[in-house]
Amino acid sequence: MPDLLIELRSEEIPARMQRKAAGDLRKSVTDALVDAGLTYEAAREYWTPRRLVLDIRGLTARSGDVHEEIKGPSTKAPEQALAGFMRKAGLADISEAHVHTDPKKGDFYVAHISKPGRDAEKIIADVMPGIIRGFSWPKSMRWGKASAKPGSLKWVRPLQSIICTFGPETEDPTVIGFKVDGLVAGNTTSGHRFHAPDTFTVRRFDDYSDKLERARVVLDAERRKEIIASDARNLAFASGLELVEDEGLLDEVSGLVEWPVVLMGEFEEDFLQIPDDIIRLTIKTNQKCFVLRKPGNGLSNKFILVSNIEASDGGKEIAHGNAKVVRARLSDALYFWNTDQADLPDRDKLTASAEKLGLDMAKPLDQRMARLDQLNVTFHAKLGTQGERVQRIAKLAAELAPIVGADPALATRAAMLAKADLTTEVVGEFPELQGVMGRIYAGLQGENASVALAAEEHYKPQGPSDQVPTDPVSISVALADKLDTLVGFWAIDEKPTGSKDPYALRRAALGVIRILVENGARMTINDVIDGAWSAHTLRLAQANLFGLSVYGSKLGFESDDPRYEQGFVVPHTGISADEIVEYVRQIEGPTYMGLETGYAVPEHEIERWWPRPDELSVDLLSFFHDRLKVYLRDQGARHDLIDAVITPASDDLLDITRRVEALGAFLDTEDGKNLLAGTKRAANILAAEEKKGTAVADAVDPALFELDEERNLFVAVNQSVSLATQAIENEDYSAAMSALATLREPVDSFFEAVLVNADDEAVRANRLALLAMIRQATGAVADFSRIAG
């Protein structure tokens, strides 16, 4: 079977784009070939900084002949119908169609269409120009004289040559010479830009990859990564050091070189007074280098760099040049580090913010928090500033602290400092260090260890693989941060829609779920929503989000003062303008002049005038349920078990999780499977009879029992309900399931011996009531009717 080799060689492609571009090339080409009727055995893509390569093995040499029948209208159909049929089938005249007969429908036309297969070479030549022209890049460019013409070729960087060869291993391959904007596909390429710039001819993939290797190009990105990682570890080991692994940086660096050469650079030890995280990020971000550490004793002043050439001096000059740049960057970092620990030059202007937030202006991080508040940095136009948000988080964190076993005073202090590092010089330069620097700076100024840790951990978890905070203070601040965000955006109706989630609200909800579940924390979502709402109400009232303005002319005041035109804030909750005007007059008097910025209801009265809308709580709880279902499914839980446990009112996420776990374990047992079958049978019979309007007794009357199986089931259900109820109260769901398991035998015996639909109406109603007891008993744990099986 023939093989196909394609190479698109260009100037250097940005490392972050290479992997996806190679995958897109494979998909585009293979899809086009399959659509044209070809098949293949295997396809693999490769990429380097200067080339995208596709190797397709076992491609059929020709597409198959196509035979199809197109059914047409009746032979008695009007001319318009016949004309449409001929256009669809590509017929010049209706006589080219065949007449088929149907016993019921009579005679009708059928077009027998035959399309001969095509050679793979022609198909490839037809599809490739369109694929290259239509290739999607995050950013692309035009170049050369042709760029002035409309519709000229666009590529991520100037495209220099194309290889396209096709043929079996036993023969010389055919060059498929399609053209794209003056470039003609051929069988020549060049190697490394500096070591082997001359062109050479290739035949098929094995020959191509071997010649590239000799021309100082390692084609396989994974092999380049292995070379870099292995050489870096060996070089570090030889110096008595350890490589600080960084998979993301390794991916990036492997996309910057075609012939990786690992070298070691060095900077002054004085820079090691800077925290390790800052050194690592400075060197990684600016020079794409790896840091080294001393075994068990912090970072070393040496680092690993990866060159794209084998220098004649062994790389000494390259390492020296990189070290000069690293030195300059670390000098900047050292300045940022020292500046952040000094007093702010404008600290005298921050007194009002410091007093409002209860900050200690003798401490550098407190000064940064005061500056964040004083600058009025906007969090969201409708949700206020970062300073206001910090106050809300602190209020909510203090309320949540006792629930998770934290000290409210420590939770408040941690929340007050949690965002302070956003105004530090280091975080301004390296935003990814937010939280990390907060922890370091809080520790330096003598904060409680839990307070310092919360500055970093309150952002967690930032993804499904990230760890959740475990310190109680961190938990309270992390929950408050996420719940404030969720309730706030729900209040202003900025919810996720479809695939759009610009404020990462799904991640925030999943973070709340993971923190509660993985720490075994009990908390009812409706209560914490109320707490977050309470923190938001003052801001919402003052921002007039839920109100309208009643202008001065409506207030009965006689004044030309334009300040009256700012009006009072009137809630949308059904309170009339007259009611709030009367309320204001009672407090301020009929000649109140404070209308310049509107009237804000006193804080202690806010919730009376702006109660939490019921729909917000219901909708946000439903959102949490959706995220919890995703989380539990990722943990391996069955979707039907989740649906069986969750009800619209379920607001204890840990309780839901434990019920699902216990239910899954129970249904994996033989008793569980049999009880499920019996319970569903009881529920189905009961539902069918209720639908017919058959009478069901309000309570079971033992005097109407005719068989021992009825009596045994009645006793078993009562005993089981008693034990299960007690177990549920103790939150021991395994014990509750064990109690239900005792119903298996009496339920099975009941259905074997008892006819539920007895002739006697009273007996039938009594037996249906017994089935209702079974449904009620299992329903205390889950809705068994929603479980598959």
Side-chain angles (χ1 to χ4, degrees):
M1 296 284 281
D3 300 332
L4 174 65
L5 170 64
I6 295 171
E7 181 204 64
L8 305 176
R9 186 174 62 86
S10 66
E11 297 289 342
E12 279 73 5
I13 304 167
R16 68 183 185 278
M17 300 182 188
Q18 294 166 17
R19 182 185 296 271
K20 183 178 184 303
D24 289 345
L25 177 65
R26 176 181 55 79
K27 186 177 188 306
S28 297
V29 173
T30 54
D31 285 355
L33 297 178
V34 170
D35 289 344
L38 300 177
T39 61
Y40 63 95
E41 293 176 357
R44 183 178 175 185
E45 70 274 23
Y46 298 87
W47 61 91
T48 78
R50 299 178 62 217
R51 61 199 85 219
L52 300 180
V53 179
L54 181 60
D55 173 29
I56 300 181
R57 302 292 176 98
L59 186 66
T60 47
R62 182 181 176 84
S63 63
D65 296 341
V66 177
H67 302 283
E68 62 176 326
E69 292 185 353
I70 301 177
K71 187 177 179 181
S74 167
T75 54
K76 300 177 181 178
E79 289 295 326
Q80 296 91 328
L82 296 178
F85 167 62
M86 288 188 291
R87 282 195 302 273
K88 178 181 177 182
L91 303 180
D93 189 85
I94 196 63
S95 62
E96 297 177 8
H98 296 73
V99 176
H100 289 207
T101 301
D102 184 279
K104 294 181 179 179
K105 298 180 180 179
D107 294 344
F108 59 93
Y109 288 112
V110 174
H112 293 190
I113 307 298
S114 295
K115 295 180 180 178
R118 301 172 63 204
D119 290 337
E121 291 94 328
K122 293 183 179 179
I123 294 174
I124 294 166
D126 285 346
V127 302
M128 283 306 302
I131 290 172
I132 294 172
R133 283 185 172 280
F135 202 82
S136 177
W137 293 97
K139 289 184 179 181
S140 56
M141 62 180 290
R142 294 187 176 94
W143 62 93
K145 294 181 180 179
S147 64
K149 301 177 183 177
S152 60
L153 176 65
K154 293 189 296 183
W155 202 249
V156 62
R157 295 290 185 270
L159 192 60
Q160 296 177 329
S161 69
I162 302 172
I163 288 177
C164 188
T165 65
F166 177 74
E169 292 184 4
T170 55
E171 302 174 10
D172 283 337
T174 301
V175 176
I176 303 177
F178 60 85
K179 295 182 180 180
V180 182
D181 265 31
L183 284 174
V184 181
N187 61 350
T188 60
T189 189
S190 63
H192 191 281
R193 179 185 290 278
F194 303 111
H195 289 306
D198 296 335
T199 60
F200 53 87
T201 302
V202 302
R203 300 174 69 249
R204 55 181 52 83
F205 180 79
D206 293 339
D207 169 62
Y208 166 77
S209 60
D210 288 344
K211 288 182 176 178
L212 273 184
E213 190 87 17
R214 291 196 292 272
R216 296 293 193 274
V217 175
V218 179
L219 182 61
D220 189 346
E222 291 302 316
R223 186 160 161 262
R224 290 199 302 275
K225 286 174 61 175
E226 290 172 6
I227 291 171
I228 294 169
S230 176
D231 289 355
R233 293 189 193 105
N234 291 337
L235 199 56
F237 180 77
S239 298
L241 301 171
E242 297 174 354
L243 177 70
V244 177
E245 306 280 351
D246 189 328
E247 188 64 27
L249 179 59
L250 183 59
D251 263 335
E252 183 176 9
V253 171
S254 71
L256 297 175
V257 296
E258 289 193 318
W259 189 253
V261 178
V262 178
L263 304 170
M264 182 179 288
E266 185 175 356
F267 57 86
E268 287 76 7
E269 290 192 353
D270 289 346
F271 290 119
L272 293 178
Q273 64 182 289
I274 307 171
D276 290 355
D277 288 308
I278 301 178
I279 294 175
R280 181 181 57 80
L281 266 177
T282 298
I283 294 176
K284 170 184 175 178
T285 304
N286 294 299
Q287 286 303 104
K288 313 302 179 189
C289 297
F290 297 86
V291 295
L292 302 174
R293 63 172 166 244
K294 305 167 188 174
N297 192 28
L299 291 186
S300 164
N301 66 321
K302 296 181 179 180
F303 61 93
I304 294 292
L305 61 123
V306 182
S307 171
N308 192 37
I309 59 173
E310 289 183 358
S312 57
D313 65 353
K316 292 180 180 178
E317 196 61 33
I318 295 173
H320 177 69
N322 274 264
K324 286 174 63 177
V325 179
V326 166
R327 215 168 283 127
R329 297 297 186 181
L330 288 177
S331 295
D332 292 342
L334 182 60
Y335 169 78
F336 297 148
W337 167 246
N338 290 329
T339 300
D340 285 341
Q341 296 175 69
D343 288 337
L344 290 172
D346 59 346
R347 60 178 294 185
D348 293 340
K349 299 178 182 179
L350 308 176
T351 304
S353 291
E355 291 177 353
K356 177 175 64 175
L357 301 178
L359 300 170
D360 182 355
M361 291 299 283
K363 297 182 176 181
L365 199 57
D366 290 59
Q367 294 177 32
R368 271 67 186 176
M369 183 59 234
R371 173 182 272 182
L372 181 64
D373 180 71
Q374 189 262 345
L375 290 174
N376 288 321
V377 177
T378 300
F379 169 64
H380 187 281
K382 295 181 179 179
L383 295 176
T385 65
Q386 285 283 11
E388 291 171 332
R389 181 166 184 255
V390 166
Q391 293 178 76
R392 295 196 302 266
I393 294 171
K395 180 177 183 292
L396 183 56
E399 294 174 2
L400 298 177
I403 303 175
V404 298
D407 182 335
L410 291 180
T412 301
R413 178 66 175 163
M416 278 296 172
L417 297 180
K419 308 295 181 183
D421 66 348
L422 294 177
T423 58
T424 61
E425 299 290 338
V426 169
V427 172
E429 181 73 11
F430 303 111
E432 54 267 61
L433 285 180
Q434 66 178 12
V436 174
M437 297 314 302
R439 169 179 56 78
I440 293 172
Y441 290 142
L444 287 174
Q445 69 178 35
E447 297 295 336
N448 181 282
S450 293
V451 171
L453 185 62
E456 178 179 9
E457 287 197 336
H458 83 281
Y459 289 107
K460 295 177 177 290
Q462 295 190 19
S465 60
D466 194 15
Q467 292 184 336
V468 300
T470 55
D471 184 277
V473 173
S474 297
I475 291 171
S476 62
V477 180
L479 288 173
D481 183 27
K482 293 166 178 58
L483 288 164
D484 175 81
T485 300
L486 288 162
V487 172
F489 281 105
W490 246 254
I492 63 174
D493 200 27
E494 292 276 1
K495 309 168 192 174
T497 55
S499 60
K500 295 181 179 179
D501 186 11
Y503 304 111
L505 301 182
R506 292 189 180 98
R507 185 175 69 185
L510 188 58
V512 171
I513 290 167
R514 287 191 58 204
I515 290 171
L516 293 176
V517 172
E518 294 178 26
N519 282 295
R522 300 302 298 271
M523 193 176 292
T524 55
I525 292 299
N526 279 329
D527 287 345
V528 295
I529 289 174
D530 283 341
W533 174 262
S534 175
H536 269 284
T537 48
L538 180 60
R539 170 67 197 176
L540 296 175
Q542 291 173 337
N544 196 19
L545 296 178
F546 292 142
L548 52 88
S549 292
V550 178
Y551 293 110
S553 59
K554 293 184 180 181
L555 297 177
F557 297 129
E558 295 180 3
S559 173
D560 295 327
D561 190 331
R563 294 178 299 172
Y564 288 121
E565 294 300 306
Q566 300 300 319
F568 288 89
V569 177
V570 179
H572 79 313
T573 53
I575 302 171
S576 69
D578 290 339
E579 286 180 289
I580 197 167
V581 168
E582 181 60 30
Y583 168 73
V584 174
R585 282 176 172 168
Q586 288 174 7
I587 298 174
E588 306 291 351
T591 59
Y592 174 66
M593 298 290 290
L595 299 178
E596 184 169 1
T597 57
Y599 184 83
V601 177
E603 188 169 355
H604 66 277
E605 292 277 357
I606 284 292
E607 290 190 68
R608 171 185 168 192
W609 297 98
W610 277 271
R612 172 180 53 77
D614 290 338
E615 63 271 17
L616 182 147
S617 181
V618 172
D619 192 31
L620 187 50
L621 181 58
S622 175
F623 182 71
F624 272 109
H625 286 169
D626 290 341
R627 295 295 93 202
L628 180 60
K629 290 177 182 178
V630 172
Y631 171 73
L632 291 176
R633 282 198 294 267
D634 288 344
Q635 300 301 307
R638 285 167 40 185
H639 68 88
D640 56 330
L641 303 190
I642 302 170
D643 291 338
V645 170
I646 292 182
T647 68
S650 301
D651 68 346
D652 186 332
L653 305 182
L654 180 62
D655 182 75
I656 293 170
T657 303
R658 287 178 174 172
R659 285 175 184 252
V660 171
E661 291 172 352
L663 183 59
F666 174 59
L667 292 178
D668 284 340
T669 67
E670 202 62 33
D671 282 346
K673 294 173 184 175
N674 289 331
L675 179 60
L676 173 63
T679 301
K680 295 191 77 168
R681 182 177 177 185
N684 290 338
I685 293 172
L686 194 57
E689 295 304 318
E690 286 173 340
K691 188 174 182 180
K692 293 182 204 174
T694 304
V696 180
D698 294 332
V700 176
D701 182 359
L704 294 174
F705 291 154
E706 297 178 349
L707 299 171
D708 289 341
E709 285 78 7
E710 293 176 273
R711 299 182 185 91
N712 294 340
L713 179 58
F714 180 67
V715 172
V717 170
N718 281 322
Q719 290 176 344
S720 174
V721 167
S722 176
L723 293 173
T725 301
Q726 184 61 47
I728 290 170
E729 289 177 359
N730 296 332
E731 298 176 7
D732 187 350
Y733 298 111
S734 296
M737 294 299 172
S738 297
L740 292 178
T742 62
L743 292 176
R744 174 197 169 177
E745 193 280 326
V747 167
D748 290 346
S749 299
F750 176 84
F751 282 120
E752 288 176 6
V754 178
L755 177 64
V756 175
N757 288 320
D759 293 334
D760 187 309
E761 291 185 7
V763 173
R764 180 169 64 246
N766 198 55
R767 289 175 177 173
L768 289 172
L770 193 53
L771 297 187
M773 285 184 67
I774 299 173
R775 182 173 64 181
Q776 185 177 2
T778 55
V781 175
D783 182 355
F784 275 51
S785 67
R786 306 191 72 173
I787 301 174

mmCIF file of all heavy atoms in Angstrom, residues 127-154:
data_model
loop_
_atom_site.group_PDB
_atom_site.id
_atom_site.type_symbol
_atom_site.label_atom_id
_atom_site.label_comp_id
_atom_site.label_asym_id
_atom_site.label_seq_id
_atom_site.Cartn_x
_atom_site.Cartn_y
_atom_site.Cartn_z
ATOM 1 N N VAL A 127 -7.030 18.410 -3.180
ATOM 2 C CA VAL A 127 -7.432 18.850 -1.838
ATOM 3 C C VAL A 127 -6.356 19.677 -1.129
ATOM 4 O O VAL A 127 -6.677 20.537 -0.310
ATOM 5 C CB VAL A 127 -7.835 17.643 -0.948
ATOM 6 C CG1 VAL A 127 -8.962 16.867 -1.590
ATOM 7 C CG2 VAL A 127 -6.656 16.743 -0.629
ATOM 8 N N MET A 128 -5.081 19.432 -1.412
ATOM 9 C CA MET A 128 -4.027 20.065 -0.620
ATOM 10 C C MET A 128 -3.975 21.592 -0.762
ATOM 11 O O MET A 128 -3.792 22.294 0.247
ATOM 12 C CB MET A 128 -2.669 19.461 -0.965
ATOM 13 C CG MET A 128 -2.411 18.088 -0.350
ATOM 14 S SD MET A 128 -2.644 18.048 1.443
ATOM 15 C CE MET A 128 -1.471 19.289 1.981
ATOM 16 N N PRO A 129 -4.100 22.163 -1.962
ATOM 17 C CA PRO A 129 -4.051 23.638 -2.036
ATOM 18 C C PRO A 129 -5.126 24.302 -1.170
ATOM 19 O O PRO A 129 -4.857 25.291 -0.489
ATOM 20 C CB PRO A 129 -4.263 23.921 -3.528
ATOM 21 C CG PRO A 129 -3.761 22.695 -4.219
ATOM 22 C CD PRO A 129 -4.153 21.563 -3.327
ATOM 23 N N GLY A 130 -6.321 23.738 -1.181
ATOM 24 C CA GLY A 130 -7.398 24.316 -0.377
ATOM 25 C C GLY A 130 -7.125 24.190 1.115
ATOM 26 O O GLY A 130 -7.428 25.102 1.897
ATOM 27 N N ILE A 131 -6.557 23.049 1.522
ATOM 28 C CA ILE A 131 -6.232 22.851 2.945
ATOM 29 C C ILE A 131 -5.195 23.875 3.394
ATOM 30 O O ILE A 131 -5.318 24.476 4.469
ATOM 31 C CB ILE A 131 -5.735 21.417 3.187
ATOM 32 C CG1 ILE A 131 -6.891 20.421 3.027
ATOM 33 C CG2 ILE A 131 -5.084 21.286 4.563
ATOM 34 C CD1 ILE A 131 -6.467 18.967 3.054
ATOM 35 N N ILE A 132 -4.167 24.087 2.589
ATOM 36 C CA ILE A 132 -3.111 25.033 2.962
ATOM 37 C C ILE A 132 -3.641 26.467 2.978
ATOM 38 O O ILE A 132 -3.370 27.237 3.915
ATOM 39 C CB ILE A 132 -1.910 24.895 2.013
ATOM 40 C CG1 ILE A 132 -1.265 23.509 2.195
ATOM 41 C CG2 ILE A 132 -0.894 26.003 2.242
ATOM 42 C CD1 ILE A 132 -0.187 23.192 1.178
ATOM 43 N N ARG A 133 -4.418 26.813 1.964
ATOM 44 C CA ARG A 133 -4.966 28.178 1.914
ATOM 45 C C ARG A 133 -5.933 28.454 3.062
ATOM 46 O O ARG A 133 -5.974 29.551 3.608
ATOM 47 C CB ARG A 133 -5.694 28.394 0.586
ATOM 48 C CG ARG A 133 -4.782 28.625 -0.596
ATOM 49 C CD ARG A 133 -5.586 28.953 -1.848
ATOM 50 N NE ARG A 133 -4.718 29.348 -2.936
ATOM 51 C CZ ARG A 133 -4.189 30.540 -3.081
ATOM 52 N NH1 ARG A 133 -4.450 31.476 -2.171
ATOM 53 N NH2 ARG A 133 -3.411 30.836 -4.090
ATOM 54 N N GLY A 134 -6.713 27.445 3.426
ATOM 55 C CA GLY A 134 -7.731 27.650 4.459
ATOM 56 C C GLY A 134 -7.279 27.284 5.853
ATOM 57 O O GLY A 134 -8.095 27.258 6.779
ATOM 58 N N PHE A 135 -5.979 27.020 6.023
ATOM 59 C CA PHE A 135 -5.488 26.561 7.326
ATOM 60 C C PHE A 135 -5.680 27.652 8.375
ATOM 61 O O PHE A 135 -5.382 28.827 8.146
ATOM 62 C CB PHE A 135 -4.009 26.188 7.230
ATOM 63 C CG PHE A 135 -3.543 25.256 8.309
ATOM 64 C CD1 PHE A 135 -3.758 23.895 8.193
ATOM 65 C CD2 PHE A 135 -2.921 25.736 9.451
ATOM 66 C CE1 PHE A 135 -3.331 23.013 9.180
ATOM 67 C CE2 PHE A 135 -2.493 24.876 10.441
ATOM 68 C CZ PHE A 135 -2.705 23.509 10.310
ATOM 69 N N SER A 136 -6.158 27.249 9.547
ATOM 70 C CA SER A 136 -6.482 28.217 10.595
ATOM 71 C C SER A 136 -5.344 28.341 11.598
ATOM 72 O O SER A 136 -4.932 27.355 12.217
ATOM 73 C CB SER A 136 -7.767 27.775 11.320
ATOM 74 O OG SER A 136 -8.069 28.662 12.377
ATOM 75 N N TRP A 137 -4.855 29.574 11.742
ATOM 76 C CA TRP A 137 -3.834 29.896 12.749
ATOM 77 C C TRP A 137 -4.403 30.943 13.709
ATOM 78 O O TRP A 137 -5.207 31.780 13.296
ATOM 79 C CB TRP A 137 -2.588 30.477 12.094
ATOM 80 C CG TRP A 137 -1.811 29.526 11.237
ATOM 81 C CD1 TRP A 137 -1.881 29.392 9.882
ATOM 82 C CD2 TRP A 137 -0.830 28.579 11.687
ATOM 83 N NE1 TRP A 137 -1.015 28.427 9.449
ATOM 84 C CE2 TRP A 137 -0.351 27.910 10.542
ATOM 85 C CE3 TRP A 137 -0.303 28.239 12.926
ATOM 86 C CZ2 TRP A 137 0.620 26.923 10.611
ATOM 87 C CZ3 TRP A 137 0.670 27.253 13.000
ATOM 88 C CH2 TRP A 137 1.124 26.610 11.845
ATOM 89 N N PRO A 138 -3.977 30.946 14.982
ATOM 90 C CA PRO A 138 -4.416 32.026 15.872
ATOM 91 C C PRO A 138 -4.038 33.399 15.330
ATOM 92 O O PRO A 138 -4.782 34.361 15.469
ATOM 93 C CB PRO A 138 -3.675 31.720 17.186
ATOM 94 C CG PRO A 138 -3.396 30.252 17.146
ATOM 95 C CD PRO A 138 -3.161 29.934 15.698
ATOM 96 N N LYS A 139 -2.856 33.477 14.723
ATOM 97 C CA LYS A 139 -2.412 34.693 14.048
ATOM 98 C C LYS A 139 -1.686 34.269 12.777
ATOM 99 O O LYS A 139 -0.948 33.292 12.779
ATOM 100 C CB LYS A 139 -1.471 35.515 14.931
ATOM 101 C CG LYS A 139 -2.153 36.181 16.108
ATOM 102 C CD LYS A 139 -1.175 37.062 16.879
ATOM 103 C CE LYS A 139 -1.871 37.756 18.037
ATOM 104 N NZ LYS A 139 -0.928 38.635 18.790
ATOM 105 N N SER A 140 -1.896 35.015 11.697
ATOM 106 C CA SER A 140 -1.228 34.671 10.442
ATOM 107 C C SER A 140 -0.741 35.949 9.770
ATOM 108 O O SER A 140 -1.071 37.061 10.197
ATOM 109 C CB SER A 140 -2.179 33.894 9.519
ATOM 110 O OG SER A 140 -3.364 34.629 9.296
ATOM 111 N N MET A 141 0.046 35.802 8.683
ATOM 112 C CA MET A 141 0.626 36.952 8.014
ATOM 113 C C MET A 141 0.723 36.709 6.510
ATOM 114 O O MET A 141 0.629 35.571 6.040
ATOM 115 C CB MET A 141 2.023 37.232 8.591
ATOM 116 C CG MET A 141 3.013 36.078 8.383
ATOM 117 S SD MET A 141 4.660 36.412 9.072
ATOM 118 C CE MET A 141 5.238 37.665 7.958
ATOM 119 N N ARG A 142 0.862 37.791 5.765
ATOM 120 C CA ARG A 142 1.198 37.716 4.342
ATOM 121 C C ARG A 142 2.623 38.244 4.191
ATOM 122 O O ARG A 142 3.117 38.972 5.031
ATOM 123 C CB ARG A 142 0.238 38.567 3.504
ATOM 124 C CG ARG A 142 -1.200 38.058 3.505
ATOM 125 C CD ARG A 142 -2.040 38.867 2.516
ATOM 126 N NE ARG A 142 -3.396 38.372 2.407
ATOM 127 C CZ ARG A 142 -4.422 38.824 3.105
ATOM 128 N NH1 ARG A 142 -4.229 39.798 3.977
ATOM 129 N NH2 ARG A 142 -5.621 38.325 2.959
ATOM 130 N N TRP A 143 3.282 37.930 3.076
ATOM 131 C CA TRP A 143 4.667 38.347 2.897
ATOM 132 C C TRP A 143 4.984 38.436 1.410
ATOM 133 O O TRP A 143 4.289 37.874 0.560
ATOM 134 C CB TRP A 143 5.618 37.368 3.583
ATOM 135 C CG TRP A 143 5.557 35.972 3.015
ATOM 136 C CD1 TRP A 143 6.331 35.461 2.036
ATOM 137 C CD2 TRP A 143 4.613 34.955 3.361
ATOM 138 N NE1 TRP A 143 5.960 34.180 1.746
ATOM 139 C CE2 TRP A 143 4.897 33.836 2.556
ATOM 140 C CE3 TRP A 143 3.549 34.879 4.266
ATOM 141 C CZ2 TRP A 143 4.165 32.665 2.627
ATOM 142 C CZ3 TRP A 143 2.826 33.709 4.343
ATOM 143 C CH2 TRP A 143 3.140 32.604 3.538
ATOM 144 N N GLY A 144 6.058 39.146 1.107
ATOM 145 C CA GLY A 144 6.541 39.242 -0.276
ATOM 146 C C GLY A 144 5.641 40.065 -1.171
ATOM 147 O O GLY A 144 4.639 40.656 -0.754
ATOM 148 N N LYS A 145 5.985 40.092 -2.438
ATOM 149 C CA LYS A 145 5.229 40.870 -3.413
ATOM 150 C C LYS A 145 3.795 40.384 -3.556
ATOM 151 O O LYS A 145 2.877 41.168 -3.764
ATOM 152 C CB LYS A 145 5.929 40.816 -4.778
ATOM 153 C CG LYS A 145 7.295 41.496 -4.809
ATOM 154 C CD LYS A 145 7.901 41.424 -6.200
ATOM 155 C CE LYS A 145 9.267 42.117 -6.236
ATOM 156 N NZ LYS A 145 9.893 42.042 -7.586
ATOM 157 N N ALA A 146 3.608 39.069 -3.425
ATOM 158 C CA ALA A 146 2.259 38.508 -3.608
ATOM 159 C C ALA A 146 1.296 38.976 -2.529
ATOM 160 O O ALA A 146 0.080 38.929 -2.723
ATOM 161 C CB ALA A 146 2.327 36.982 -3.600
ATOM 162 N N SER A 147 1.827 39.472 -1.415
ATOM 163 C CA SER A 147 0.942 39.862 -0.316
ATOM 164 C C SER A 147 0.070 41.054 -0.679
ATOM 165 O O SER A 147 -0.937 41.305 -0.018
ATOM 166 C CB SER A 147 1.773 40.191 0.922
ATOM 167 O OG SER A 147 2.610 41.307 0.687
ATOM 168 N N ALA A 148 0.464 41.804 -1.712
ATOM 169 C CA ALA A 148 -0.341 42.960 -2.121
ATOM 170 C C ALA A 148 -1.597 42.547 -2.877
ATOM 171 O O ALA A 148 -2.520 43.349 -3.033
ATOM 172 C CB ALA A 148 0.505 43.903 -2.981
ATOM 173 N N LYS A 149 -1.649 41.305 -3.333
ATOM 174 C CA LYS A 149 -2.798 40.859 -4.119
ATOM 175 C C LYS A 149 -3.898 40.327 -3.214
ATOM 176 O O LYS A 149 -3.616 39.633 -2.226
ATOM 177 C CB LYS A 149 -2.369 39.755 -5.089
ATOM 178 C CG LYS A 149 -1.289 40.175 -6.067
ATOM 179 C CD LYS A 149 -0.872 38.999 -6.940
ATOM 180 C CE LYS A 149 0.260 39.395 -7.885
ATOM 181 N NZ LYS A 149 0.706 38.234 -8.692
ATOM 182 N N PRO A 150 -5.150 40.646 -3.520
ATOM 183 C CA PRO A 150 -6.259 40.109 -2.713
ATOM 184 C C PRO A 150 -6.278 38.582 -2.750
ATOM 185 O O PRO A 150 -6.025 37.965 -3.788
ATOM 186 C CB PRO A 150 -7.503 40.681 -3.399
ATOM 187 C CG PRO A 150 -7.016 41.862 -4.166
ATOM 188 C CD PRO A 150 -5.621 41.540 -4.587
ATOM 189 N N GLY A 151 -6.529 37.969 -1.624
ATOM 190 C CA GLY A 151 -6.621 36.505 -1.557
ATOM 191 C C GLY A 151 -5.300 35.795 -1.550
ATOM 192 O O GLY A 151 -5.247 34.572 -1.755
ATOM 193 N N SER A 152 -4.199 36.536 -1.322
ATOM 194 C CA SER A 152 -2.890 35.879 -1.302
ATOM 195 C C SER A 152 -2.770 34.968 -0.091
ATOM 196 O O SER A 152 -3.505 35.096 0.895
ATOM 197 C CB SER A 152 -1.767 36.926 -1.286
ATOM 198 O OG SER A 152 -1.874 37.736 -0.143
ATOM 199 N N LEU A 153 -1.812 34.055 -0.154
ATOM 200 C CA LEU A 153 -1.642 33.039 0.877
ATOM 201 C C LEU A 153 -1.282 33.675 2.218
ATOM 202 O O LEU A 153 -0.455 34.579 2.300
ATOM 203 C CB LEU A 153 -0.538 32.067 0.461
ATOM 204 C CG LEU A 153 -0.145 30.986 1.473
ATOM 205 C CD1 LEU A 153 -1.302 30.030 1.707
ATOM 206 C CD2 LEU A 153 1.094 30.234 0.988
ATOM 207 N N LYS A 154 -1.926 33.182 3.282
ATOM 208 C CA LYS A 154 -1.593 33.582 4.645
ATOM 209 C C LYS A 154 -1.070 32.354 5.395
ATOM 210 O O LYS A 154 -1.605 31.262 5.246
ATOM 211 C CB LYS A 154 -2.824 34.149 5.363
ATOM 212 C CG LYS A 154 -3.326 35.457 4.797
ATOM 213 C CD LYS A 154 -4.399 36.069 5.682
ATOM 214 C CE LYS A 154 -5.633 35.206 5.763
ATOM 215 N NZ LYS A 154 -6.705 35.838 6.574
#
